[in-house]
Amino acid sequence: MILETWIGIGCILGCLVLVQSGMHIAVALMLLSLFGVSMVIGIEPAGRMLAASSVSSISSYLFGVIPLFVLMGLVVSVTSLGRDLFDASGNLMKRVRGGLGMSTVIANAVFAACTGTSIASASVFTRIAVPELERLGYTTRFSVGVVAGSSILGMLIPPSLLFIIFGVIANVSIGELFIAAILPGALMAVAFCVTIFLLSVFAPGFVHADGAPTAAESQAATRSAMAGIWIAIKPLIPVGALVFVVLGGIYGGFFTPTEAGAVGALAAIVIGLLRRELTLRNIWDVVLETGRVTASIIFLLMAAQIYSQMLTLTGLPMTLNDWMTASGIGAVGFVILYLLLLILLGTFLDSMSILLIVVPFALVFANQFGLDLLWFGVLSVIAVEIGLLTPPLGLSCFVVKATLNREDVTIRDIFIGSFPFFLTMLSVLALVALVPQIALIAL
């Protein structure tokens, strides 16, 4: 290989080392991109090229979608909609064995459609669901595991920040990415519920503290069906309206993703005000946090653009392309290797870092093999989200641990509790990979 190719490989390995050592992913990408380009064309041309790239990479109207969806998610997070969702789904599912665990999944799925982040879901439902699950007779490991497992729906069910970032990197429609993710996200939620039911039947000691259904589940059969349905549906009306406005507007062609973000943010604020849960102080805090999160994401996207240009300049994608062609690995082999790489990186990197590092050169092969980039994006997000449950990093598991802040619950307990959901995610990933129409049928 020529020197430029080795420079590109060195920059990728250096980025992995720097990020793992604690450096912010955007800083690592920018520093190594500057180093790599400087080694190829010199420091002064590199500085001018990267400065121009920084400006052009964020000058599109498209990027308005980021602060708007972040604002909507933060407004929802500071209200009690998470508690309402959990209570409502709990009332619906108490007649089912393992029903309160399923209600956590359902509440997380609906909450995900409003917030777009797994970390927020893990934090909110750790406080809401874990004490209630334990109180009603579920084991601690199952209680923390179901919260950590179902929290990954936050980044899979649209609107999702990961899909926005993938759309920007791959230059594909964010609205179409959102639509492509709806069915896989719903499938993942259903698969989690099936997993909980099977665990409750075949491994009751893992789910229930005494190996039997909880008292609440046993007594629920005596309740009025119509009353239970109404109790469940009533709290869902505000959040259901919010999800319908955002996703329905995009799917129906009434809004662009950016316009849907604006309408969704306004609707979330109106709902919060009507429920008297938003104060001027809350609004001020939400606006400040929106600015901080947006600045961080924009900085990441600038770094990703610079990093992508560095890879192109070193010729690394073309070298790998030639190797891939000579090896005869084919599209199927590439997809398998790609997904295995994402899952492996997920053991020690966060989801966003993985996308920013791997996707720019993976797109070269995806385009070469003629893969549908919307399907490819859905696969990518599912694979990197698996990393939220894998040790040693397992970000969702650590968020649950930090939020719970209990000495009797170890990080090992959370990893063990979430392991069935890790296996479920692998199964859904394989199914979506084998049947692309699951992601593409709604388009």
Side-chain angles (χ1 to χ4, degrees):
M1 288 189 287
I2 61 176
L3 177 61
E4 287 82 357
T5 301
W6 283 112
I7 292 173
I9 294 173
C11 287
I12 293 175
L13 295 176
C15 185
L16 293 175
V17 172
L18 291 177
V19 172
Q20 185 63 15
S21 67
M23 181 178 288
H24 192 280
I25 175 64
V27 176
L29 287 174
M30 285 188 169
L31 283 177
L32 288 168
S33 297
L34 178 61
F35 170 77
V37 175
S38 299
M39 292 290 289
V40 176
I41 63 174
I43 185 64
E44 289 189 11
R48 289 194 297 269
M49 187 187 82
L50 298 182
S53 177
S54 297
V55 175
S56 63
S57 64
I58 59 171
S59 60
S60 172
Y61 162 81
L62 173 68
F63 291 99
V65 72
I66 296 173
L68 294 170
F69 276 119
V70 170
L71 176 61
M72 182 183 76
L74 290 174
V75 170
V76 171
S77 296
V78 300
T79 67
S80 60
L81 283 176
R83 162 63 68 180
D84 287 352
L85 288 172
F86 179 72
D87 291 343
S89 55
N91 284 321
L92 269 180
M93 301 302 296
K94 280 183 177 178
R95 290 175 176 80
V96 182
R97 191 178 177 100
L100 199 58
M102 297 182 195
S103 73
T104 305
V105 173
I106 295 170
N108 248 316
V110 180
F111 192 73
C114 303
T115 59
T117 169
S118 298
I119 303 307
S121 297
S123 178
V124 168
F125 285 97
T126 297
R127 293 191 295 266
I128 294 172
V130 172
E132 189 70 6
L133 284 163
E134 290 181 320
R135 185 181 69 82
L136 292 177
Y138 290 86
T139 65
T140 298
R141 282 184 173 177
F142 174 79
S143 300
V144 294
V146 73
V147 170
S150 59
S151 70
I152 64 93
L153 296 170
M155 285 293 195
L156 182 57
I157 294 178
S160 161
L161 291 178
L162 285 186
F163 281 116
I164 292 173
I165 289 173
F166 181 90
V168 172
I169 296 173
N171 195 28
V172 296
S173 168
I174 292 175
E176 290 184 350
L177 270 174
F178 284 173
I179 295 170
I182 292 175
L183 188 54
L187 176 63
M188 187 71 76
V190 171
F192 282 162
C193 289
V194 171
T195 298
I196 291 169
F197 179 78
L198 293 176
L199 286 172
S200 184
V201 172
F202 297 106
F206 179 80
V207 178
H208 304 290
D210 58 358
T214 65
E217 290 172 341
S218 301
Q219 296 168 3
T222 62
R223 298 184 181 178
S224 164
M226 292 302 295
I229 292 174
W230 172 244
I231 291 172
I233 290 177
K234 186 177 178 181
L236 294 177
I237 293 174
V239 71
L242 181 59
V243 174
F244 176 78
V245 166
V246 175
L247 297 183
I250 295 175
Y251 188 81
F254 298 106
F255 309 135
T256 66
T258 304
E259 292 166 346
V263 173
L266 177 61
I269 291 172
V270 170
I271 290 171
L273 292 174
L274 290 176
R275 293 163 62 94
R276 297 183 179 181
E277 293 178 341
L278 276 183
T279 63
L280 289 177
R281 179 65 182 177
N282 283 343
I283 294 174
W284 176 249
D285 290 342
V286 163
V287 170
L288 287 180
E289 185 63 17
T290 299
R292 284 192 287 267
V293 173
T294 301
S296 176
I297 294 173
I298 292 297
F299 193 39
L300 285 168
L301 293 175
M302 289 169 56
Q305 177 68 18
I306 294 170
Y307 171 75
S308 180
Q309 288 191 332
M310 181 273 294
L311 290 177
T312 302
L313 197 61
T314 61
L316 179 59
M318 297 311 299
T319 301
L320 292 174
N321 185 33
D322 293 341
W323 174 82
M324 192 80 70
T325 302
S327 68
I329 195 171
V332 174
F334 162 68
V335 171
I336 293 173
L337 288 176
Y338 173 69
L339 295 178
L340 288 175
L341 176 62
L342 293 184
I343 294 171
L344 175 63
L345 290 175
T347 61
F348 60 92
L349 289 177
D350 65 276
S351 304
M352 204 168 291
S353 298
I354 297 171
L355 284 186
L356 292 171
I357 293 171
V358 177
V359 168
F361 69 82
L363 289 171
V364 175
F365 309 117
N367 287 318
Q368 176 194 339
F369 291 122
L371 303 179
D372 189 290
L373 293 185
L374 298 176
W375 169 73
F376 191 69
V378 172
L379 287 181
S380 300
V381 171
I382 295 175
V384 299
E385 285 291 271
I386 290 175
L388 293 176
L389 302 181
T390 53
L393 183 61
L395 193 56
S396 280
C397 296
F398 278 96
V399 170
V400 171
K401 169 64 176 171
T403 304
L404 203 58
N405 194 25
R406 280 170 41 184
E407 293 184 1
D408 63 314
V409 181
T410 65
I411 189 64
R412 181 173 179 271
D413 291 327
I414 302 173
F415 279 126
I416 292 174
S418 62
F419 183 70
F421 303 97
F422 164 77
L423 296 178
T424 301
M425 290 189 71
L426 287 178
S427 302
V428 173
L429 175 63
L431 183 59
V432 175
L434 291 170
V435 188
Q437 285 304 310
I438 294 175
L440 303 178
I441 193 171
L443 296 170

